[in-house]
Amino acid sequence: MEERGHRCTILVYNRNDGAMERHRSVIRNHWPGLAADIHPVPVSLDGLDACVASSWETAHVLAARMPRRGGPSPHYFIQDFEPYFHPRGSLYALAEDSYRFGFNLMALGPMVAEVLKREVGVRSKILPFGSDVGTYRLTNTTGRSGVVFFAKPEAERRGYDMGRLALQQFHRMHPRQEIHVYGARVTGWGVPVRQHGRISPRELNELYNRTISGLALSFTNITLVAAEMLAAGNVPVLNDDQSSRAVLTNPEAVWAAANPAILAKTLSDVVTAEDAAERSARAASHREHTWAETQASFAAALTGYELSSLGSY
């Protein structure tokens, strides 16, 4: 929005009265190009043209601080169906209720939009799910070996335990195929694992280009990992979901039931396929939406202009 000439402010919900200077420092260090002011959420949001909630918690804050009359237009950028982050109970209900506040709902991809309509009965504007096609690209057209997995044990929706069980079975089927894990450091797998920890996007592109396949698991929206792997010529295996297929249209993506044995067998089939090199090249040649398209659609939805790429569900 700054690139489009808008003056922006980041409002931090500082519910525990933490040091605002610390929060400002974190934001400035990690987003050095951002010019936006950074302030605590005020008691009233008068004086702003538009406000965007970025999670169910901030949607409640926005609803509570909106003036009774006038005030900014309220928007809600929804990247996951967030009730799924919690067991059925108080937090689930509060997260679900945030979609009923009457805000302009902007769903990242058709999967989220479909779940919003099915579970809550609300319509949303669909923004295209983008991919970083500048960083992730094909650089290796020769031999590949091994598989890769993004480990995030603290987020249940990322399917860490499902991936661990599947890769343990995969190792028994292919003991010579190296298993690469990045993200969190893992323990207790009982099979050889090459750990990369947290690596840069450039290093991650190199890892995707070295490996044949990998698991790309996510249960609340399609994972960014899948399109990035495909752009680098790595053919991922994803947990199957009809809504996810609407987001990731690359025909070389492989879908399998969320079952460790089935995921392991599917991964085995990809690794041993005779046309692996050709498949890798086809995967990398497929065009996905870029984040620039997502940004343009977001800006259009926020300012009230329509683009031909915007849809609703």
Side-chain angles (χ1 to χ4, degrees):
M1 298 306 293
E2 288 179 352
E3 290 172 355
R4 288 166 169 78
H6 297 274
R7 179 182 174 186
C8 301
T9 302
I10 297 173
L11 299 178
V12 178
Y13 180 41
N14 198 21
R15 63 178 182 178
N16 296 318
D17 293 325
M20 273 302 301
E21 284 309 312
R22 180 171 63 85
H23 298 319
R24 288 192 183 97
S25 176
V26 169
I27 295 170
R28 295 296 184 210
N29 286 339
H30 289 279
W31 289 273
L34 200 64
D37 294 330
I38 304 169
H39 298 297
V41 182
V43 174
S44 175
L45 298 172
D46 281 324
L48 298 171
D49 297 311
C51 279
V52 183
S54 57
S55 68
W56 74 261
E57 298 94 339
T58 60
H60 278 269
V61 176
L62 178 55
R65 305 290 175 92
M66 284 289 290
R68 290 184 178 274
R69 292 183 178 84
S73 59
H75 304 265
Y76 193 174
F77 179 49
I78 306 168
Q79 302 172 74
D80 295 276
F81 185 71
E82 293 185 343
Y84 287 163
F85 292 6
H86 309 284
R88 295 301 289 266
S90 300
L91 294 180
Y92 187 103
L94 288 168
E96 186 179 62
D97 204 37
S98 69
Y99 304 125
R100 302 187 179 99
F101 292 165
F103 298 165
N104 173 35
L105 305 181
M106 297 179 282
L108 183 60
M111 178 179 183
V112 171
E114 181 178 323
V115 177
L116 286 168
K117 185 177 181 182
R118 184 181 70 236
E119 298 290 331
V120 190
V122 296
R123 295 175 62 86
S124 56
K125 187 72 69 177
I126 300 173
L127 307 185
F129 198 107
S131 180
D132 185 356
V133 296
T135 301
Y136 299 96
R137 62 191 187 280
L138 184 67
T139 60
N140 174 24
T141 57
T142 57
R144 293 171 177 255
S145 65
V147 297
V148 63
F149 179 59
F150 171 49
K152 194 172 184 180
E154 70 276 12
E156 177 61 28
R157 66 187 183 276
R158 298 300 184 190
Y160 169 76
D161 286 320
M162 182 73 67
R164 174 180 56 82
L165 292 170
L167 288 167
Q168 286 170 333
Q169 293 195 43
F170 173 80
H171 173 73
R172 290 191 285 271
M173 301 164 71
H174 300 281
R176 294 186 178 180
Q177 288 287 351
E178 199 166 29
I179 298 173
H180 299 266
V181 178
Y182 72 94
R185 294 279 177 176
V186 303
T187 59
W189 278 38
V191 300
V193 172
R194 181 163 184 187
Q195 306 212 46
H196 298 266
R198 296 183 182 276
I199 56 178
S200 69
R202 179 187 59 79
E203 293 169 323
L204 187 54
N205 184 61
E206 292 174 358
L207 181 57
Y208 289 158
N209 270 275
R210 287 169 48 195
T211 47
I212 305 169
S213 183
L215 295 178
L217 307 180
S218 184
F219 290 85
T220 56
N221 199 352
I222 194 78
T223 173
L224 298 174
V225 164
E228 294 167 356
M229 294 168 73
L230 287 158
N234 181 300
V235 178
V237 174
L238 300 92
N239 54 295
D240 200 1
D241 184 284
Q242 194 62 40
S243 301
S244 295
R245 289 173 179 255
V247 180
L248 186 69
T249 59
N250 192 314
E252 301 308 322
V254 179
W255 305 87
N259 172 286
I262 295 174
L263 289 169
K265 174 61 168 61
T266 307
L267 198 58
S268 172
D269 291 343
V270 174
V271 167
T272 58
E274 293 183 357
D275 65 340
E278 293 82 358
R279 193 174 199 177
S280 176
R282 291 196 304 267
S285 66
H286 183 82
R287 184 189 180 279
E288 297 288 349
H289 288 292
T290 67
W291 285 121
E293 294 173 78
T294 310
Q295 291 163 2
S297 296
F298 176 89
L302 190 61
T303 55
Y305 296 102
E306 294 291 334
L307 293 180
S308 60
S309 61
L310 282 176
S312 63
Y313 199 95

